[in-house]
Amino acid sequence: MKEIPANDPKLRSWVHVPAGSDFPIQNIPFGIFEKDSEKRVGIRIGDHVLDLNFLQHNGYFEGIELPRGIFRKAFLNEFLSLGKKLTSSIRNRVSELLQVGSPLETHGSVDVFLLAAELVQVCMPIEVGDYTDFYSSMQHAVNVGSMFRDPANALFPNWKHMPVGYHGRSSSVIESGVPIIRPQGQILSAEAERPAHGPTKQLDFELEMGFVTCGESVQGVPIKTEDAEKYIFGLVLLNDWSARDIQKWEYVPLGPFLSKSFATAISPWIVTLDALEPFRTEGPEQQPEVLPYLQYEGMKHFDIDLEVGITPKGTQERIVCRSNFKHLYWNMAQQLAHQTVNGCNVKSGDLYGSGTISGPDPGSYGSMLEISWGGTKPVMMKDGSERSFIQDGDTVKIRGFATRQDLKIGFGEVASEVLKPF
């Protein structure tokens, strides 16, 4: 593990951070906020947002070569294009400025650059140019394969040889808080001979995480696993919404299409890979041995706790899943190496979904398809109603946080309410 001064658990900020906050001084996640009809780049610290445009304008980033106005943007893409070395330098400088005794603490009007989070609008952090969704949890793949096909052959022959994925729809990637309109499509019911058109009856969440790239690679030149993290800026929570009945009818032979492209929701604050350095962990043993371009050294998995809650309208939340990012079979370095092995290039602001993250027991399954086992085992809500899949009026929230002794690095949440179709 790298020793990064900004990760020191002993650091204390002059900004008040409530106990148990997802956003202590050791986190420093990046995002976009809007204040007075202008969007800018900010850092979340406790219950506040730090305006990076103000810091640059007033000389607090002196010595770091930055384009003028780089933080007065509607998306993080231009900042990410500066590369990992520079983005890490900004995080380290912000850490210094937030520490007790820094020059920023004694600045006169704190409220001009440190804004209450509840008073600003948090926005989509990146303009997603390309979106890939992987299928990297073996437990999830076995569960789905058992339900959709044959339990004896749940995994396709290629699954343990490559991080299987598909090119998703970037136009429908949305931020937390944007409602989900129940999608419609073709559905073939069990008792019918021909498909019918209508709204999905099996709307589902998928518990995922996504990573965001920084810098750009050269088309035709693959990224090696040992170099992959130079292109990974940070992670977000991701809900890859799915319509299971539409998916089951359409996925042969080319895979998901309308069942996945209507909405993918992400959390607004991007937690840097640097902040997650203390939470590296070993991954599962991969057998059979993977091809040389997918082999890696060191710890490339991360210990991040995840949970999903469902709140029917007007009632209390019920937690239906607790899982962990470390359950993935394929890690991010392998995913990026496989994405580029054919010469595909990556750009700043690209989004890569992990695929549904399911753990080894039913309480850690990352979708309602698995939790209710295709609708045969409904889950009781706090109001006494049951859920096999997500209903209109339900709000689904995904939360994530990594903990180590007294240190907690959180992601906040990604929340979406489901509305009736037009």
Side-chain angles (χ1 to χ4, degrees):
M1 296 184 186
K2 294 185 296 184
E3 291 292 331
I4 300 176
N7 293 348
D8 186 346
K10 297 186 180 67
L11 295 181
R12 295 294 178 265
S13 177
W14 55 266
V15 180
H16 173 67
V17 178
S21 172
D22 278 2
F23 307 110
I25 188 174
Q26 292 84 2
N27 193 338
I28 313 182
F30 290 73
I32 298 292
F33 71 97
E34 184 174 348
K35 177 71 172 177
D36 299 328
S37 301
E38 183 180 72
K39 292 183 178 181
R40 300 192 289 276
V41 178
I43 291 290
R44 182 69 186 263
I45 172 77
D47 292 334
H48 291 81
V49 176
L50 180 66
D51 184 352
L52 296 194
N53 182 63
F54 175 91
L55 298 188
Q56 183 186 21
H57 184 72
N58 287 273
Y60 286 99
F61 293 137
E62 185 178 354
I64 302 176
E65 193 169 332
L66 289 168
R68 185 176 180 180
I70 191 67
F71 299 116
R72 198 170 183 173
K73 303 291 182 181
F75 298 104
L76 284 167
N77 296 53
E78 289 189 42
F79 173 61
L80 299 181
S81 70
L82 300 177
K84 188 73 170 284
K85 183 177 181 179
L86 193 142
T87 60
S88 294
S89 296
I90 292 297
R91 177 177 179 266
N92 291 334
R93 178 65 59 84
V94 170
S95 171
E96 295 169 359
L97 293 170
L98 288 174
Q99 292 174 37
V100 173
S102 82
L104 196 60
E105 181 180 10
T106 58
H107 188 282
S109 303
V110 172
D111 58 352
V112 300
F113 60 85
L114 188 67
L115 311 170
E118 62 183 14
L119 299 181
V120 302
Q121 177 65 45
V122 180
C123 307
M124 185 73 180
I126 53 174
E127 185 174 29
V128 182
D130 280 299
Y131 165 48
T132 295
D133 193 51
F134 287 100
Y135 191 48
S136 292
S137 163
M138 185 163 67
Q139 185 65 59
H140 174 67
V142 167
N143 290 343
V144 174
S146 297
M147 281 184 276
F148 275 33
R149 296 185 301 277
D150 174 13
N153 297 287
L155 293 180
F156 282 121
N158 63 356
W159 199 91
K160 287 190 173 182
H161 292 275
M162 68 174 77
V164 176
Y166 69 93
H167 193 195
R169 181 75 182 176
S170 60
S171 68
S172 53
V173 178
I174 55 176
E175 70 268 31
S176 178
V178 175
I180 305 297
I181 309 298
R182 181 172 295 272
Q184 304 180 61
Q186 286 194 25
I187 300 168
L188 180 66
S189 61
E191 64 276 3
E193 295 182 359
R194 290 173 56 83
H197 171 265
T200 178
K201 296 178 182 179
Q202 297 183 350
L203 183 62
D204 201 358
F205 67 81
E206 288 196 343
L207 170 60
E208 302 192 25
M209 299 201 73
F211 69 84
V212 176
T213 49
C214 61
E216 298 190 2
S217 67
V218 178
Q219 187 171 3
V221 180
I223 295 174
K224 298 178 180 179
T225 55
E226 59 262 37
D227 297 325
E229 292 184 2
K230 296 177 184 177
Y231 295 91
I232 300 175
F233 174 70
L235 284 81
V236 293
L237 303 172
L238 187 149
N239 186 347
D240 192 35
W241 285 89
S242 300
R244 300 300 186 184
D245 41 8
I246 297 173
Q247 179 183 0
K248 188 173 183 179
W249 172 236
E250 75 175 3
Y251 88 104
V252 178
L254 296 181
F257 183 44
L258 301 182
S259 59
K260 301 278 191 177
S261 62
F262 60 94
T264 299
I266 65 172
S267 54
W269 297 105
I270 304 178
V271 176
T272 64
L273 206 61
D274 285 349
L276 296 170
E277 184 69 23
F279 306 99
R280 291 183 182 272
T281 189
E282 298 285 350
E285 181 182 5
Q286 295 182 331
Q287 290 291 337
E289 185 178 58
V290 299
L291 292 173
Y293 80 94
L294 290 170
Q295 294 174 8
Y296 66 95
E297 295 182 356
M299 293 187 290
K300 301 295 186 183
H301 287 69
F302 292 83
D303 185 1
I304 302 171
D305 288 316
L306 302 164
E307 67 177 29
V308 183
I310 300 174
T311 307
K313 201 169 190 67
T315 66
Q316 294 180 306
E317 181 183 64
R318 165 71 193 276
I319 300 298
V320 297
C321 164
R322 287 189 170 92
S323 190
N324 193 293
F325 189 49
K326 68 183 179 183
H327 291 319
L328 290 181
Y329 187 85
W330 300 102
N331 61 54
M332 292 182 287
Q334 292 176 307
Q335 290 169 343
L336 200 56
H338 186 63
Q339 172 79 65
T340 62
V341 72
N342 67 341
C344 174
N345 55 315
V346 303
K347 294 186 176 182
S348 297
D350 286 353
L351 178 66
Y352 300 82
S354 63
T356 304
I357 304 167
S358 292
D361 59 83
S364 61
Y365 291 171
S367 67
M368 287 304 293
L369 178 68
E370 299 165 89
I371 294 168
S372 73
W373 205 254
T376 63
K377 300 177 181 179
V379 178
M380 185 77 72
M381 296 290 105
K382 291 288 185 70
D383 63 356
S385 63
E386 293 184 335
R387 293 292 184 278
S388 294
F389 294 95
I390 307 303
Q391 297 183 10
D392 295 342
D394 290 350
T395 295
V396 176
K397 292 184 179 180
I398 296 176
R399 304 180 185 90
F401 47 89
T403 56
R404 181 182 177 188
Q405 297 176 345
D406 294 332
L407 179 62
K408 177 184 179 183
I409 301 296
F411 290 77
E413 66 181 27
V414 54
S416 309
E417 181 184 5
V418 175
L419 304 180
K420 294 179 180 180
F422 290 120

